[in-house]
Amino acid sequence: MAPIGKLIGPTANFRNYKARIVAKHLGVDIETTPQFKLGIDNKTPEYLVKYPVGKVPAFESADGFSLTDSSVIAYYIASKGGNNSSLLGQTPEETAEILQFIMFAESDFTPAALGTFSPLLGSMPMIKPAHQQAEQQLDRFLDALNTLVVDRTFLVGERLTIADVVVTCDLIMSYKFYLEEAGRTQYHNLTRYFKAMVAQPAFKAVLGDVELCKERLKPAAPAVDETEEEAAPAANPKSKLDLLPKPKMIFDEWKRFYLNNTAKPDAMNWLWKHFDDEGYSFWKVEYKYNNELTSCFMTNNLVAGVCNRLERAQKYAFGCLLTLGKDNDNMIWGYFIVRGLEVPEEIIESADYESFDWSPADYKDPKTRAEIEDCFAGEGPALPRECNGGRIFK
Ligand SMILES: N[C@@H](CCC(=O)N[C@@H](CS)C(=O)NCC(=O)O)C(=O)O
């Protein structure tokens, strides 16, 4: 049978799976785009003419009908193909319930899951309070789903519907990255449901065997050179900072402690206890061109780029650059700890140095100390304005 259309977007993606599982279940064929490059192919003028939001997946039917949104595409395919109509419910009430699950999956569950996993996978900045909030929400929604399926085989009615397809696909990351054995036991009804779904032939044909989480995803630790502070200065040091006397505080110990603990109070208490003001200094960092900033989303992208371009300073600096304020009225603001008592040349030579004011910060001054604490926590009353994102440079 000729394909009923083309599903456009990367194939190894939980959103992409939805339409393909529905198509498999119905026995209809859809074309896919395994070579699709996210961030490139969805930014071309041809793509944006058809799909102006520039997101994937998208769908183009054999007769030229264009559609976006993974669950809507799954819905459309279910409504079109094959002779199995029960995927969309058999009464108006069932169809409404199916939509209710799809809305919940898209507006509640998936943002909580992505808010939990994306910072750990490095595809979103790690802002600890936002991350903690996402994780709490994720647990809350997993718990709700666990209760919902206590006496159900399927989410709606007595047969598979696209609610099962959408919710199961949206659960995949949680079962891969988050729910290790203890979590699977805690949410045992949901685990039973999830395992039953992914064992069905249409799911299996698309997903293969879903490998369940062995160990919960952790924040990526900074590159650690255990011997860094122990070894004698190298004969040809890469940085003149390598020639400084051995500091009392080991930078990587601070970075590790910060990453593995709550910023306030634990990590900050650690820092004030161990900070060595002969080996390190604090700097306040402010963007010079705040009046040119537009949306917070764009500012966050700018901050991410600045941090990426500071890569050479990674061994000698730690800091937090925040997006403060609201859309069309925001600023980039933050604090850095650097090795030595001056801004390192690794920072001065970076492409963005001239765009920021770097001023020495006296961490013994209570106001500055409170600002540093709230900056490294990404929240708190000492921030000049509300935090809307940012990036930790570690
Ligand atoms: N609600 C949409 C969300 C689509 C979405 O956010 N897709 C991501 C990839 S998984 C994307 O296109 N990101 C690129 C971008 O935002 O530019 C759906 O389910 O299809």
Side-chain angles (χ1 to χ4, degrees):
M1 210 207 315
I4 63 163
K6 179 156 72 167
L7 182 68
I8 305 161
T11 45
N13 178 285
F14 70 99
R15 298 189 199 272
N16 182 286
Y17 299 147
K18 298 175 190 173
R20 285 160 60 204
I21 292 169
V22 170
K24 272 274 176 243
H25 182 81
L26 293 172
V28 299
D29 196 15
I30 51 173
E31 203 183 324
T32 56
T33 58
Q35 309 300 328
F36 193 94
K37 290 192 187 56
L38 186 65
I40 297 176
D41 295 339
N42 55 321
K43 304 285 175 209
T44 63
E46 304 83 70
Y47 189 89
L48 293 171
V49 164
K50 275 193 192 157
Y51 311 107
V53 178
K55 293 220 171 199
V56 293
F59 184 76
E60 184 166 7
S61 76
D63 48 11
F65 175 62
S66 298
L67 202 56
T68 54
D69 196 287
S70 57
S71 302
V72 177
I73 298 167
Y75 193 101
Y76 176 72
I77 294 173
S79 73
K80 276 301 229 193
N83 47 14
N84 189 340
S85 62
S86 63
L87 280 175
L88 297 180
Q90 287 164 310
T91 62
E93 285 72 23
E94 282 191 2
T95 306
E97 270 196 284
I98 290 169
L99 287 174
Q100 171 191 281
F101 277 109
I102 292 177
M103 297 294 177
F104 161 75
E106 185 59 27
S107 9
D108 298 308
F109 187 82
T110 298
L114 291 179
T116 302
F117 306 131
S118 303
L120 301 177
L121 293 165
S123 52
M124 241 168 79
M126 166 63 89
I127 302 295
K128 286 203 171 176
H131 186 247
Q132 277 166 0
Q133 198 187 6
E135 203 172 318
Q136 278 166 10
Q137 293 279 70
L138 179 64
D139 286 333
R140 172 182 155 200
F141 297 142
L142 286 169
D143 195 46
L145 283 171
N146 185 58
T147 307
L148 263 160
V149 296
V150 64
D151 54 359
R152 297 188 200 190
T153 306
F154 301 102
L155 289 176
V156 179
E158 302 302 328
R159 300 173 71 174
L160 185 85
T161 68
I162 64 161
D164 298 303
V165 175
V166 168
V167 170
T168 300
C169 289
D170 288 347
L171 277 169
I172 291 173
M173 277 193 294
S174 299
Y175 275 97
K176 269 185 148 165
F177 299 140
Y178 192 66
L179 294 174
E180 14 58 313
E181 206 176 331
R184 295 199 290 276
T185 310
Q186 183 183 352
Y187 304 121
H188 57 275
N189 303 319
L190 186 61
T191 303
R192 186 253 312 136
Y193 166 82
F194 180 77
K195 284 183 173 171
M197 288 303 127
V198 297
Q200 296 202 41
F203 286 78
K204 218 169 164 95
V206 174
L207 306 176
D209 290 324
V210 177
E211 203 181 318
L212 301 178
C213 175
K214 290 200 180 71
E215 203 185 344
R216 196 174 268 199
L217 202 61
K218 292 203 177 56
V224 176
D225 177 359
E226 296 288 359
T227 62
E228 175 201 5
E229 309 292 348
E230 308 301 334
N236 284 316
K238 288 202 187 78
S239 164
K240 66 179 185 196
L241 295 171
D242 293 333
L243 295 171
L244 291 177
K246 184 176 166 182
K248 292 193 198 84
M249 181 180 91
I250 310 283
F251 222 176
D252 281 330
E253 276 181 14
W254 152 247
K255 293 181 184 185
R256 266 200 298 270
F257 197 91
Y258 174 85
L259 283 176
N260 292 319
N261 291 278
T262 319
K264 279 193 306 187
D266 299 345
M268 295 315 297
N269 285 346
W270 188 101
L271 183 65
W272 302 134
K273 185 164 168 223
H274 294 87
F275 189 70
D276 160 14
D277 56 11
E278 289 172 9
Y280 301 88
S281 51
F282 275 100
W283 295 80
K284 186 173 198 168
V285 182
E286 289 164 292
Y287 192 52
K288 289 182 184 166
Y289 309 110
N290 288 326
N291 58 342
E292 292 175 9
L293 298 173
T294 56
S295 70
C296 292
F297 174 77
M298 296 297 284
T299 306
N300 280 329
N301 281 348
L302 175 65
V303 167
V306 170
C307 289
N308 288 341
R309 290 185 289 273
L310 274 178
E311 199 189 359
R312 248 186 85 210
Q314 194 251 329
K315 209 170 141 190
Y316 311 107
F318 169 91
C320 196
L321 274 184
L322 302 178
T323 299
L324 301 182
K326 52 185 199 256
D327 283 347
N328 300 315
D329 177 19
N330 54 75
M331 60 198 262
I332 305 175
W333 180 95
Y335 278 93
F336 268 69
I337 307 173
V338 305
R339 186 75 172 92
L341 306 184
E342 293 168 0
V343 179
E345 67 185 25
E346 286 77 4
I347 292 181
I348 293 180
E349 288 169 9
S350 76
D352 303 286
Y353 177 71
E354 295 297 339
S355 304
F356 288 84
D357 285 320
W358 286 73
S359 39
D362 174 11
Y363 74 97
K364 290 181 180 149
D365 166 60
K367 180 173 179 285
T368 306
R369 186 183 280 232
E371 283 189 0
I372 294 170
E373 293 201 341
D374 287 358
C375 175
F376 287 2
E379 59 159 9
L383 297 182
R385 301 190 62 189
E386 179 199 350
C387 177
N388 258 310
R391 173 76 58 125
I392 290 147
F393 179 78
K394 53 188 191 299

